[in-house]
């Protein structure tokens, strides 16, 4: 039996020891100095001015879309058919209108031509997702956003370290979101980060994270002006925006600070694993021509060349027998247009029109790619898949 879980050893003994040490030495456990230290470390690792630690990648998405509505107004947000549910749910709940785009098979990201054709005067933002460590950016998308004054948001939740032309994803859009959920490149158990160089957006996000409170802003002049403008309000309790409580804790930040030390080395190992996996897989049976430039994969992609339900069924049975954990449909379970929360709200949309998302939905899955996954297991997995 192959025995490959989706994730292994993501929280190691050393992380646990750090937590124990912290607990025995500290008396402040919610959002405090460790959170700020982790935010600074993350900004440095990524190469951005500001990072804001929140309690999940989805929280980062919800806050970002709410912040765009507050600062720039509601509008159309272009989203991919293959992404996580909160990338679309956040658009809907902030009062924007999601505009769906099918994806490429070489990077599972929005198809450039279709994306460009869906831009209208109402387009507020393009919310792209780097899926399974594959870069989603193109020069044309970046240039179009600049020329047409469209906000570019990058979801890097499952692709920490992926690069586009040697620049880290998450440094190119106006805002970028990361997840540190247990199964991702590094983990704070639950957690997320909002990153930006934009001072105004950062200040908004600080307030959104903590109930919308003015005192969370670090812009002293702004706070003085607002306080003077509302003399009837207690300065400690001025709520500027309809915010959330999406703070994380010092404990999660302690984990993040310890995990970030291993991040680059783990990315290197996972990159190697994925390149090996793609090179060994039979390209007659499986799609293997992924755009590997700058990839930072954390899960092996199995996508049938031909849409063959029987073969897919055989593969899922084989993986189950071999105790190889897998997820059908890749990130978010496949074509989001098939999901009840989308169907209910957009009954005129036809999921079948998103042909590549449909293929990924019905004939795609992923298995785990963790740093200490043995080479022999990767070879054996490919051998078994090639024999189907
Ligand atoms: C692309 C993408 N965006 C957002 C999220 C949400 O992150 P979280 O699980 O931390 O809420 C995920 C899921 O894990 C994801 O894969």
């Amino acid at each position: 039996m192959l025995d490959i879980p989706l994730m292994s050893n993501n929280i190691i003994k050393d992380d646990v020891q750090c937590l124990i040490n912290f607990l025995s030495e500290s008396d402040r456990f919610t959002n405090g100095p460790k959170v700020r230290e982790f935010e600074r470390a993350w900004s440095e690792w990524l190469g951005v001015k500001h990072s804001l630690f929140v309690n999940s990648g989805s929280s980062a998405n919800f806050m970002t879309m709410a912040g765009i509505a507050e600062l720039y107004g509601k509008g159309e947000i272009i989203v991919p058919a293959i992404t996580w549910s909160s990338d679309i749910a956040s658009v809907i709940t902030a009062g924007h209108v999601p505009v769906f785009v099918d994806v490429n098979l070489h990077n599972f990201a929005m198809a450039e031509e279709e994306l460009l054709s869906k831009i209208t005067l109402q387009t507020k933002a393009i919310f792209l997702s780097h899926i399974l460590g594959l870069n989603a950016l193109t020069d044309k998308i970046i240039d179009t956003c600049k020329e047409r004054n469209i906000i570019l948001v990058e979801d890097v939740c499952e692709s920490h370290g992926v690069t586009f032309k040697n620049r880290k994803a998450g440094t190119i859009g106006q805002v970028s979101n990361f997840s540190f959920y247990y199964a991702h490149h590094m983990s704070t158990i639950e957690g997320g980060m909002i990153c930006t160089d934009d001072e105004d957006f950062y200040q908004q996000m600080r307030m959104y994270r903590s109930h919308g409170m003015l005192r969370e802003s670090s812009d002293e002049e702004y706070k003085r002006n607002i306080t003077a403008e509302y003399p009837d309000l207690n300065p400690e309790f001025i709520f500027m925006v309809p915010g959330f409580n999406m703070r994380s804790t010092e404990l999660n930040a302690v984990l993040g600070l310890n995990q970030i030390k291993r991040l680059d080395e783990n990315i290197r190992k996972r990159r190697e694993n994925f390149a090996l996996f793609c090179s060994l897989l039979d390209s007659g049976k499986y799609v293997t021509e992924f755009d590997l430039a700058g990839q930072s994969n954390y899960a092996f992609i199995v996508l049938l060349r031909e849409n063959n339900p029987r073969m897919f069924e055989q593969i899922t049975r084989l993986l189950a027998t071999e105790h190889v954990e897998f997820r059908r449909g890749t990130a978010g379970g496949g074509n989001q247009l098939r999901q009840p929360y989308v169907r209910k709200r957009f009954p005129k949309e036809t999921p079948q029109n998103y042909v590549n998302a449909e293929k990924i939905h019905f004939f795609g899955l992923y298995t785990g790619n963790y740093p200490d996954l043995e080479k022999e297991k990767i070879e054996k997995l490919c051998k078994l898949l090639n024999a189907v």
Side-chain angles (χ1 to χ4, degrees):
M1 218 144 41
L2 258 178
D3 230 340
I4 304 178
L6 279 185
M7 181 55 65
S8 152
N9 258 340
N10 207 10
I11 307 287
I12 61 172
K13 279 208 177 105
D14 188 52
D15 295 322
V16 175
Q17 195 54 52
C18 278
L19 282 176
I20 293 168
N21 296 347
F22 176 77
L23 278 167
S24 55
E25 289 161 4
S26 310
D27 59 2
R28 181 187 170 119
F29 301 110
T30 189
N31 191 10
K34 285 290 170 197
V35 167
R36 282 193 291 282
E37 197 182 327
F38 179 39
E39 290 172 341
R40 278 195 298 274
W42 186 260
S43 292
E44 199 169 307
W45 178 83
L46 184 63
V48 291
K49 273 195 201 139
H50 301 296
S51 297
L52 201 78
F53 188 38
V54 292
N55 56 10
S56 74
S58 293
S59 297
N61 287 346
F62 282 106
M63 287 168 59
T64 298
M65 286 302 131
I68 288 176
E70 182 75 15
L71 275 176
Y72 309 108
K74 293 169 188 170
E76 293 175 357
I77 310 276
I78 298 182
V79 293
I82 294 286
T83 184
W84 191 253
S85 60
S86 65
D87 290 61
I88 296 165
S90 61
V91 169
I92 296 168
T93 53
H96 302 291
V97 178
V99 174
F100 301 99
V101 171
D102 199 8
V103 295
N104 304 306
L105 291 182
H106 64 265
N107 62 357
F108 289 16
M110 284 190 275
E112 188 184 87
E113 277 305 306
E114 187 183 328
L115 187 164
L116 297 174
S117 76
K118 292 203 166 162
I119 293 176
T120 70
L121 290 173
Q122 278 71 49
T123 305
K124 252 323 140 196
I126 292 172
F127 191 4
L128 56 77
S129 293
H130 301 276
I131 296 296
L132 293 168
L134 301 173
N135 163 57
L137 288 159
T138 69
D139 283 323
K140 186 89 182 146
I141 295 173
I142 297 167
D143 293 345
T144 305
C145 284
K146 277 191 198 133
E147 282 157 20
R148 302 188 63 169
N149 209 16
I150 293 168
I151 301 159
L152 180 60
V153 183
E154 294 178 70
D155 178 333
V156 205
C157 284
E158 53 179 54
S159 299
H160 315 52
V162 65
T163 59
F164 172 61
K165 298 194 168 172
N166 294 324
R167 294 166 72 192
K168 270 188 186 147
T171 62
I172 296 163
Q174 184 177 330
V175 190
S176 63
N177 297 339
F178 288 80
S179 164
F180 305 119
Y181 175 61
Y182 173 74
H184 289 158
H185 293 66
M186 64 166 258
S187 178
T188 57
I189 304 178
E190 298 281 358
M193 200 69 93
I194 301 176
C195 306
T196 184
D197 286 342
D198 183 313
E199 190 63 35
D200 286 344
F201 201 80
Y202 172 63
Q203 294 299 342
Q204 285 286 313
M205 291 297 98
R206 287 185 68 97
M207 294 189 286
Y208 263 101
R209 179 175 64 177
S210 286
H211 311 286
M213 284 198 285
L214 176 69
R215 68 172 137 111
E216 291 294 323
S217 167
S218 56
D219 181 340
E220 297 306 324
E221 192 186 337
Y222 173 71
K223 281 196 280 196
R224 266 196 308 279
N225 291 343
I226 296 289
T227 309
E229 204 181 311
Y230 295 93
D232 59 319
L233 294 179
N234 177 343
E236 279 83 50
F237 291 107
I238 299 180
F239 297 93
M240 294 304 295
V241 291
F244 311 106
N245 178 357
M246 289 177 170
R247 295 184 299 249
S248 188
T249 75
E250 294 287 90
L251 298 171
N252 301 81
V254 164
L255 270 179
L257 281 163
N258 207 44
Q259 291 249 336
I260 200 171
K261 296 185 212 156
R262 304 197 290 278
L263 181 59
D264 285 333
E265 178 59 9
N266 284 346
I267 287 174
R268 189 189 64 70
K269 288 181 185 162
R270 285 181 157 117
R271 271 192 181 129
E272 271 181 28
N273 290 349
F274 187 50
L276 176 67
F277 177 80
C278 289
S279 72
L280 294 177
L281 215 52
D282 181 344
S283 58
K285 292 182 174 171
Y286 302 99
V287 174
T288 55
E289 58 278 17
F290 296 113
D291 179 6
L292 296 183
Q295 59 97 355
S296 179
N297 174 275
Y298 81 109
F300 295 150
I301 304 167
V302 178
L303 179 64
L304 298 197
R305 174 77 57 200
E306 306 293 337
N307 295 353
N308 181 340
R310 260 198 59 209
M311 184 177 171
F312 194 71
E313 172 65 26
Q314 276 176 304
I315 289 168
T316 54
R317 250 187 284 126
L318 167 77
L319 294 176
T321 312
E322 290 289 333
H323 284 200
V324 176
E325 219 181 327
F326 63 90
R327 291 284 182 273
R328 292 182 184 88
T330 72
N335 188 356
Q336 287 296 307
L337 284 105
R338 287 193 168 269
Q339 296 295 344
Y341 78 96
V342 174
R343 285 188 171 198
K344 225 165 103 181
R345 287 169 177 78
F346 306 97
K348 287 192 186 134
E349 285 285 357
T350 309
Q352 290 83 349
N353 288 346
Y354 299 77
V355 175
N356 288 343
E358 285 285 274
K359 181 176 174 72
I360 295 166
H361 187 102
F362 289 108
F363 304 105
L365 56 81
Y366 70 76
T367 67
N369 168 15
Y370 43 89
D372 54 8
L373 177 57
E374 299 87 339
K375 226 173 137 202
E376 298 71 44
K377 283 197 178 182
I378 302 173
E379 287 164 355
K380 188 144 180 241
L381 174 63
C382 291
K383 221 179 207 171
L384 286 169
L385 288 169
N386 290 344
V388 175

